[in-house]
Amino acid sequence: MILIGTMDWASTRLKGMFHCPNCDSTQRFRLRASRPFLTFYFIPVIPIGGLQEFVQCTNCKNAFESIVLANHMLPNDAQPQPQQATVETSFEEDLLKVLALVMVEDGHVTENEIRIARRLFENMTEQNLSRDALGAACSQVRLHRLNTTSFLSTAASRCSHEQKLLLVQAMFGVAGADGELSPGRMKSLVRSQQLLNLDQQEFETAVEATSQWLQ
Ligand SMILES: [Zn+2]
């Protein structure tokens, strides 16, 4: 059985203290890297693609995009700060990522989710989203071991208010693609209000208006 798996490298280049958005407290982090491999019966055989870096909190073990250090590394830390200016993420990338995260969250992707995710993306950005691009985004978030919580806590600092509301609507739209919301998804969706610093009223208004993007 050939599968895509990952092998981890622990990098000793960068360790330090940061504000972990998940623990909401100061924690030790390690910068780690993983490389996707084609595996044969769980034995990595062929490396595909380059090393993908991620930051891991040593307390909760959650993985974050390395940009989390630009926003959450403590200023008194002796380590050089990554320069924020070098990391530019477009809203389209964030939108695609959040759609992919919600899609893979429950372990499988359905045709309805694919259809709804593409429609949400196309209506919100007026740009095409191919099935392949969406599929690539799904495998990428898996390889990066991102989850919705860790992604939103880094996206919150770079998104405008309008963009945050769109991300909420994208999440609810795709999460509801198969009809019912699972309790696990509901929990992470509710958490998004706090992670994106939205008040209850505007959050609810945005959720209710989600259907405008599904036409
Ligand atoms: Zn943590």
Side-chain angles (χ1 to χ4, degrees):
M1 181 171 53
I2 295 180
L3 289 169
I4 295 177
T6 58
M7 271 178 76
D8 284 1
W9 270 265
S11 161
T12 50
R13 278 191 301 124
L14 193 57
K15 296 181 192 182
M17 305 295 288
F18 80 135
H19 181 87
C20 173
N22 186 58
C23 300
D24 198 22
S25 57
T26 300
Q27 297 295 344
R28 197 171 291 281
F29 73 83
R30 291 182 89 179
L31 186 68
R32 303 178 64 104
S34 67
R35 166 170 278 166
F37 269 84
L38 286 179
T39 61
F40 183 69
Y41 285 102
F42 308 108
I43 302 160
V45 274
I46 305 164
I48 44 172
L51 281 179
Q52 318 226 358
E53 282 188 333
F54 62 97
V55 170
Q56 190 175 39
C57 170
T58 56
N59 183 48
C60 66
K61 311 291 181 208
N62 261 297
F64 300 91
E65 293 173 282
S66 44
I67 191 179
V68 75
L69 296 182
N71 305 318
H72 296 282
M73 195 144 82
L74 300 182
N76 61 357
D77 200 286
Q79 307 288 351
Q81 293 238 10
Q83 287 180 0
Q84 211 157 353
T86 61
V87 189
E88 269 185 40
T89 311
S90 72
F91 175 68
E92 284 78 11
E93 286 173 56
D94 281 338
L95 179 60
L96 181 55
K97 219 173 252 183
V98 90
L99 288 167
L101 280 164
V102 176
M103 285 169 73
V104 304
E105 202 163 43
D106 58 359
H108 63 277
V109 172
T110 67
E111 278 303 316
N112 273 339
E113 288 172 347
I114 295 170
R115 190 172 49 83
I116 298 284
R118 293 179 66 193
R119 186 170 301 166
L120 284 161
F121 185 92
E122 292 178 358
N123 285 340
M124 286 179 176
T125 66
E126 294 178 349
Q127 290 177 28
N128 272 330
L129 176 62
S130 71
R131 233 186 130 85
D132 285 351
L134 183 58
C138 288
S139 10
Q140 206 197 14
V141 296
R142 283 214 145 147
L143 292 174
H144 279 111
R145 292 136 194 263
L146 277 183
N147 63 47
T148 316
T149 303
S150 71
F151 170 72
L152 289 177
S153 50
T154 53
S157 55
R158 60 178 176 248
C159 285
S160 72
H161 188 72
E162 282 296 300
Q163 291 172 338
K164 288 179 187 178
L165 296 177
L166 287 173
L167 291 183
V168 167
Q169 293 174 324
M171 285 188 287
F172 272 86
V174 79
D178 290 315
E180 288 278 287
L181 284 184
S182 71
R185 275 184 171 173
M186 198 61 210
K187 211 171 143 197
S188 70
L189 291 177
V190 167
R191 184 120 196 252
S192 69
Q193 182 210 329
Q194 175 207 344
L195 292 167
L196 295 172
N197 303 312
L198 298 168
D199 75 38
Q200 185 71 28
Q201 184 60 49
E202 59 192 356
F203 180 74
E204 283 173 12
T205 309
V207 171
E208 279 164 21
T210 298
S211 58
Q212 70 179 297
W213 303 111
L214 297 170
Q215 312 295 319

